[in-house]
């Protein structure tokens, strides 16, 4: 294909809901040698697919006379879990000082999704020429790192013998924390609550991002000011001191750090002035506030299972009015939902083998109704290879089953929950299970399903329900606990909201990626919420 330099788009590429930024480091190995008298002078160009076209995002520096370059310049890309972000890395041998890529010799390229890179953390792949053949022995290595300081600091502060500022009582002290701004002025970062009528306050512990408090630099000086609160806003200054996070971290539970609170005006006036009280750092702890990407980069796998509704209300699959009828384009609403969700999630599962289950049908040879059967008819190995494998197994099973009923969800929810419960025995953030149920209607076993979802909310598991057709989906909205907490029929509450429901009809005329964004939007926070609740850090996390 022809490469063109595209002007940088004004806004960020991708949606406005950027989870975070990812830094990509690129190295080349055994690149083609295009120069006669010396070695190639490679540089790497990163493209992203936007609306079907490759748009240049950035390029590295040129490595002179080097067939095994490690580029110092990093690519920084906005990461969106709920989108397929296609990237292309193209290497060229710099011949002229031109910005036009056709002026330089092509050394090979590699394309993949950003999800593929972050789920592996580091990948090495063969470089290909335009005709799809290998570019000699050329290889490319791409490593991903999240670009955010996820450390948070928790401070527990107190005061002792602070100056008395009120005529008829004691002071009402509070603290303000400042860091130096770019303009050299002090910038307010945090204000504690006011403790009334005391010279020996004990403030509630508080947590702020380390970046907010000191720009992530624990040696940076910060200023703490102590005031006596006045309801008219004219707070009286008690005293101040400067310290650093590194110094405050010396405080241990048994050995608090004591800092003198100084009022410079009083210090100048009074010869025997000591201080205006003591501010005590009772404890100072730095921890990491892990993000979804931290867990993925740490090696957490997303385990994807599909549950498909084969009840009679769907209609005969040979009839064009049936929801299971595969149209001349080779698709239907069931297949569209499988593709939309599956193509995102498959990047996060290393073996890409997905169990696909059906419910509500009579199966050969004895035509008994089943509410959890493998659609490939192999109960010991219900796995399909990739999303394509699910689609093939689905199409192949349609002629061999009889649609029946009722619409029971709980067997499939409990099926996946059994595997999620096994994963918890590892006591590590290694697996999270996602069940996609595609259904045309009303649940028959609502009490059992509510109970199953409440139990599953304690496990590393989320459920996505896509409603196809035009039925009444009020019961599904009930399972999706966005507006209120889901309770089982016994009254037990769900520990967290794990169900996301969307009706397919809302997306019939929308671009296909819109459905994926809607159903997967809540998933990253559900993953993080579960592992935090269990006090499980990412597998390969560094200590704060």
């Amino acid at each position: 294909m022809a490469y063109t330099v595209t002007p940088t788009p004004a806004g960020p590429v991708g949606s406005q809901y950027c989870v975070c930024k990812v830094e990509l480091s690129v190295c080349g190995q055994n690149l083609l040698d295009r120069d006669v008298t010396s070695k190639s002078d490679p540089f790497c160009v990163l493209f992203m697919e936007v609306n079907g076209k490759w748009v240049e995002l950035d390029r590295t520096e040129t490595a002179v006379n080097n067939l095994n370059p490690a580029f110092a310049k990093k690519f920084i890309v906005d990461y969106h879990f709920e989108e397929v972000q296609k990237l292309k890395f193209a290497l060229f041998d710099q011949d002229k000082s031109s910005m036009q890529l056709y002026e330089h010799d092509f050394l090979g390229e590699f394309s993949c999704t950003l999800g593929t890179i972050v789920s592996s953390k580091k990948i090495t792949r063969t470089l290909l020429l335009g005709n799809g053949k290998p570019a000699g022995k050329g290889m490319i290595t791409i490593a991903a790192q999240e670009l955010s300081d996820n450390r948070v600091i928790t401070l527990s502060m107190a005061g002792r013998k602070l100056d008395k500022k009120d005529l008829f009582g004691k002071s009402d002290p509070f603290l303000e924390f400042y860091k130096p701004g770019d303009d050299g002025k002090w910038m307010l970062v945090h204000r504690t609550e006011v403790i009334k009528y005391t010279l020996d306050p004990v403030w509630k512990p508080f947590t702020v991002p380390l970046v907010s408090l000191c720009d992530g630099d624990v040696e940076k000086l910060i200023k703490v000011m102590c005031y006596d609160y006045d309801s008219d806003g004219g707070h009286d200054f008690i005293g101040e001191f400067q310290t650093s996070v590194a110094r405050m971290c010396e405080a241990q539970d048994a050995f608090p750090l004591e800092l003198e609170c100084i009022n410079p005006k009083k210090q100048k006036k009074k010869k025997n002035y000591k201080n205006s009280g003591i501010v005590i750092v009772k404890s100072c702890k730095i921890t990491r506030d892990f993000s979804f990407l931290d867990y993925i980069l740490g090696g957490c796998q997303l385990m994807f299972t599909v549950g498909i509704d084969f009840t009679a209300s769907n209609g005969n699959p040979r009839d064009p009015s049936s929801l299971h009828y595969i149209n001349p384009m080779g698709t239907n609403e069931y297949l569209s939902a499988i593709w939309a969700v599956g193509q995102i999630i498959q990047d996060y599962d290393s073996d890409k083998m997905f169990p696909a289950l059906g419910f509500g049908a009579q199966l050969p040879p004895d035509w008994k109704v089943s509410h959890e059967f493998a659609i490939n008819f192999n109960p010991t190995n219900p796995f399909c290879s990739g999303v394509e494998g699910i689609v093939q197994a689905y199409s192949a099973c349609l002629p061999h089953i009889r649609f029946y009923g009722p619409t029971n969800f709980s067997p499939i929810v409990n099926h996946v929950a059994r595997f999620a419960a096994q994963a918890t025995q590892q006591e590590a953030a290694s697996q999270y299970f996602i069940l996609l149920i595609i259904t045309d209607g009303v649940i028959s076993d609502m009490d059992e399903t509510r109970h199953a979802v409440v139990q599953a909310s304690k496990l590393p598991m989320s459920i996505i329900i896509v409603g196809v057709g035009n039925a009444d989906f009020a019961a599904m909205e009930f399972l999706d606990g966005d507006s209120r907490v889901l309770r089982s029929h016994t009254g037990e509450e769900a520990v967290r909201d794990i169900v996301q429901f969307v009706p397919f009809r809302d997306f019939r005329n929308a671009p296909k990626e819109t459905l994926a964004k809607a159903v997967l939007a809540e998933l990253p926070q559900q993953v993080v919420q579960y592992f935090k609740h269990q006090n499980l850090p990412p597998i390969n996390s560094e200590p704060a």
Side-chain angles (χ1 to χ4, degrees):
M1 68 159 271
Y3 288 98
T4 53
V5 175
T6 313
T8 310
V13 175
S15 74
Q16 66 276 38
Y17 303 110
C18 177
V19 178
C20 60
K21 291 185 183 297
V22 174
E23 180 183 81
L24 302 175
S25 307
V26 178
C27 304
Q29 297 91 32
N30 304 316
L31 300 184
L32 286 172
D33 198 350
R34 297 289 199 196
D35 290 355
V36 183
T37 53
S38 62
K39 296 190 173 85
S40 289
D41 306 323
F43 64 96
C44 181
V45 185
L46 173 63
F47 298 87
M48 181 183 267
E49 190 179 272
V50 180
N51 301 327
K53 293 195 179 83
W54 289 112
V55 175
E56 179 177 338
L57 291 189
D58 206 354
R59 41 179 92 179
T60 65
E61 79 281 10
T62 298
V64 179
N65 284 340
N66 192 343
L67 301 183
N68 299 286
F71 297 107
K73 166 132 188 211
K74 313 294 185 199
F75 294 126
I76 293 168
V77 184
D78 287 353
Y79 167 75
H80 305 275
F81 166 71
E82 70 284 4
E83 291 176 23
V84 176
Q85 294 176 274
K86 286 190 185 154
L87 302 178
K88 173 159 25 194
F89 299 82
L91 287 138
F92 296 87
D93 169 23
Q94 179 157 0
D95 279 342
K96 306 184 178 79
S97 58
S98 168
M99 288 298 287
Q100 301 296 333
L101 291 175
Y102 62 79
E103 301 265 9
H104 307 283
D105 291 328
F106 180 51
L107 300 176
E109 66 185 26
F110 166 68
S111 304
C112 68
T113 63
L114 183 55
T116 302
I117 303 170
V118 299
S119 66
S120 305
K121 199 165 187 183
K122 188 176 190 176
I123 59 172
T124 300
R125 297 287 188 272
T126 305
L127 286 167
L128 301 176
L129 296 170
N131 58 9
K133 290 185 175 157
K137 293 181 178 170
M139 307 287 281
I140 185 169
T141 298
I142 306 154
Q145 188 179 358
E146 181 170 3
L147 260 197
S148 68
D149 187 337
N150 58 12
R151 292 173 296 170
V152 293
I153 181 166
T154 303
L155 282 163
S156 187
M157 312 284 292
R160 188 175 72 237
K161 293 187 179 167
L162 297 177
D163 280 1
K164 178 168 168 281
K165 288 286 178 184
D166 290 355
L167 220 53
F168 300 110
K170 295 179 176 174
S171 295
D172 308 315
F174 67 92
L175 299 177
E176 288 186 341
F177 290 75
Y178 291 81
K179 70 176 177 186
D182 295 337
D183 55 1
K185 297 191 173 102
W186 290 100
M187 191 170 120
L188 178 64
V189 176
H190 181 78
R191 181 183 287 123
T192 67
E193 79 280 21
V194 176
I195 307 287
K196 291 272 195 183
Y197 315 122
T198 179
L199 302 179
D200 304 295
V202 177
W203 289 281
K204 279 185 202 146
F206 66 91
T207 301
V208 291
L210 196 62
V211 171
S212 301
L213 187 62
C214 60
D215 299 325
D217 177 359
V218 294
E219 301 297 340
K220 183 175 270 194
L221 274 183
I222 56 173
K223 181 160 80 165
V224 182
M225 302 183 80
C226 184
Y227 288 93
D228 167 37
Y229 174 82
D230 269 339
S231 56
D232 63 4
H235 311 307
D236 296 320
F237 176 62
I238 293 175
E240 63 180 47
F241 59 89
Q242 290 188 15
T243 185
S244 67
V245 169
R247 177 88 204 282
M248 291 195 290
C249 281
E250 292 168 14
Q252 300 295 328
D253 290 337
F255 304 100
L257 176 70
E258 301 201 345
L259 297 155
E260 285 188 298
C261 208
I262 303 295
N263 183 328
K265 282 185 181 168
K266 280 191 173 180
Q267 200 175 27
K268 272 185 187 167
K269 278 184 188 170
K270 295 181 181 175
K271 275 192 182 157
N272 59 352
Y273 174 83
K274 268 180 92 178
N275 58 49
S276 293
I278 302 288
V279 170
I280 304 156
V281 183
K282 290 164 65 183
S283 81
C284 171
K285 290 192 175 72
I286 297 176
T287 51
R288 289 192 182 274
D289 186 16
F290 294 112
S291 70
F292 173 69
L293 204 51
D294 287 321
Y295 284 103
I296 296 296
L297 289 168
C300 181
Q301 297 275 301
L302 300 185
M303 316 300 284
F304 180 46
T305 302
V306 178
I308 300 172
D309 179 343
F310 290 113
T311 53
S313 50
N314 282 279
N316 183 332
R318 287 182 278 288
D319 184 335
S321 65
S322 165
L323 292 165
H324 280 292
Y325 173 73
I326 297 177
N327 64 28
M329 304 285 289
T331 187
N332 62 27
E333 292 191 356
Y334 279 89
L335 286 171
S336 298
I338 292 168
W339 272 115
V341 179
Q343 67 171 351
I344 304 274
I345 290 178
Q346 69 176 352
D347 283 342
Y348 299 87
D349 186 325
S350 54
D351 68 0
K352 307 205 183 332
M353 296 298 288
F354 308 121
L357 308 170
F359 60 93
Q362 294 173 317
L363 304 190
D366 53 7
W367 304 107
K368 280 198 176 139
V369 177
S370 173
H371 293 292
E372 50 168 318
F373 64 90
I375 65 171
N376 64 1
F377 299 119
N378 186 346
T380 56
N381 184 9
F383 295 92
C384 303
S385 176
V387 183
E388 293 91 343
I390 300 174
V391 170
Q392 283 160 11
Y394 166 77
S395 305
C397 89
L398 283 174
H400 301 292
I401 59 177
R402 289 181 190 157
F403 290 13
Y404 205 69
T407 308
N408 290 355
F409 274 24
S410 59
I412 277 189
V413 173
N414 290 328
H415 176 103
V416 176
R418 282 194 294 276
F419 290 96
Q422 280 174 353
T424 60
Q425 290 166 10
Q426 296 176 34
E427 294 188 356
S430 57
Q431 292 180 321
Y432 192 92
F433 291 77
I434 293 145
L435 169 60
L436 168 65
I437 298 177
I438 313 167
T439 180
D440 81 322
V442 184
I443 303 177
S444 310
D445 63 338
M446 193 60 181
D447 281 357
E448 292 84 351
T449 297
R450 279 164 56 194
H451 183 71
V453 170
V454 167
Q455 299 313 310
S457 71
K458 304 168 191 170
L459 298 169
M461 176 173 168
S462 288
I463 301 166
I464 294 164
I465 303 173
V466 176
V468 294
N470 294 314
D472 172 18
F473 292 122
M476 308 295 177
E477 303 279 8
F478 177 75
L479 287 175
D480 186 342
D482 280 350
S483 51
R484 63 186 173 287
V485 177
L486 177 71
R487 282 187 171 80
S488 79
H489 59 287
T490 61
E492 186 182 356
E493 287 190 354
V495 187
R496 55 198 186 95
D497 174 21
I498 62 165
V499 177
Q500 175 73 353
F501 167 72
V502 296
F504 190 90
R505 57 182 173 232
D506 292 359
F507 299 91
R508 267 182 204 143
N509 303 316
K512 60 180 189 300
E513 52 272 16
T514 325
L515 174 66
K517 286 181 190 175
V519 294
L520 295 171
E522 291 181 13
L523 192 74
Q525 74 196 54
Q526 288 175 357
V527 172
V528 171
Q529 191 187 21
Y530 173 78
F531 288 128
K532 277 189 182 165
H533 195 258
Q534 301 298 314
N535 273 329
L536 291 172
I539 304 167
N540 304 320
S541 60
E542 300 158 13

